[in-house]
Amino acid sequence: MTFSAAWEAFHAKQKWDGGTYPHFVKLMTMFVTEFGRVLELGTGVGQNVPFFDTIGADYHGIEGSESALKILKGKFPKYAQKVVCADFTKEIPFEPGFDVIVDRAAIAHNDFASIERCIGLIYDALKPGGLFIAADWFSTSHSEYRRGLRLESGTRGGYQEGQFDGIGKVHFSDEPELAYLFRRFEGIHLE
């Protein structure tokens, strides 16, 4: 069952494959010394799978779009049993004990309550000393913060053009909000 109608429509229509971003790979290699068991939230069509496959990580993933997962499983059949369609803001349907949990702009496409709940789930799913690495959280300084429709404080939607056209909610955070959300974590790096 698809858990994000907006992302399902996006992937079903466009079958986007943006590739692995060099900045994301840089974050991984800067901060992770032991990949071991990895969970990716918002796998998309598998843009990051080649990186994790190359380094020999025990890759798992959660995606909200069945269309995206169908593409991912077709490209990477060996992970077919390790990627699931689920709402990662409500559950992480894998045994806890991940060495690394990663997010490349998936969590920020939710409202604040869902993001807060998701951060708690991430904390509980990591092994002691495990790392959470996120790329592309959107700042309240982002050019799109004042555009779209205000859904709640920090959350916008209804974009008709630009970067966020047709993808539902986008949450923008500032540093105090991030400090609050990650209060149970030891911060290593914020850029």
Side-chain angles (χ1 to χ4, degrees):
M1 171 183 224
T2 293
F3 289 91
S4 172
W7 283 103
E8 175 60 24
F10 179 82
H11 285 295
K13 179 176 71 175
Q14 297 183 13
K15 295 182 174 50
W16 179 70
D17 185 1
T20 301
Y21 294 133
H23 183 69
F24 180 75
V25 171
K26 180 182 174 185
L27 280 172
M28 298 292 107
T29 56
M30 281 177 56
F31 295 103
V32 182
T33 57
E34 177 186 334
F35 282 92
R37 194 163 171 248
V38 172
L39 172 63
E40 181 175 20
L41 304 178
T43 65
V45 297
Q47 300 93 320
N48 299 317
V49 173
F51 169 73
F52 292 116
D53 194 43
T54 299
I55 60 171
D58 181 14
Y59 180 83
H60 298 71
I62 303 173
E63 171 58 43
S65 164
E66 287 179 341
S67 292
L69 275 182
K70 183 177 179 184
I71 295 167
L72 187 157
K73 290 177 180 183
K75 289 174 17 182
F76 308 102
K78 77 180 194 178
Y79 295 110
Q81 300 304 311
K82 293 187 174 192
V83 293
V84 298
C85 190
D87 183 345
F88 54 74
T89 70
K90 294 182 179 174
E91 67 171 330
I92 294 183
F94 296 106
E95 289 294 317
F98 286 97
D99 296 287
V100 181
I101 297 178
V102 299
D103 162 47
R104 201 176 93 189
I107 296 172
H109 288 285
N110 289 282
D111 58 48
F112 181 81
S114 297
I115 292 169
E116 185 173 24
R117 188 173 49 250
C118 182
I119 299 302
L121 292 169
I122 291 167
Y123 186 87
D124 293 341
L126 285 166
K127 74 177 192 180
L131 293 173
F132 171 63
I133 297 180
D136 297 327
W137 279 65
F138 305 112
S139 167
T140 53
S141 299
H142 193 289
S143 61
E144 296 293 314
Y145 176 61
R146 302 239 182 264
R147 297 184 62 218
L149 303 173
R150 183 183 188 276
L151 304 176
E152 67 178 16
S153 179
T155 305
R156 312 292 285 186
Y159 288 91
Q160 299 296 313
E161 61 184 14
Q163 176 181 359
F164 303 125
D165 180 24
I167 56 173
K169 298 174 188 169
V170 184
H171 188 80
F172 299 87
S173 300
D174 58 17
E175 284 190 48
E177 181 178 275
L178 291 174
Y180 172 78
L181 286 169
F182 291 98
R183 62 194 177 276
R184 295 172 63 192
F185 289 76
E186 176 187 340
I188 297 174
H189 180 76
L190 174 64
E191 182 179 314

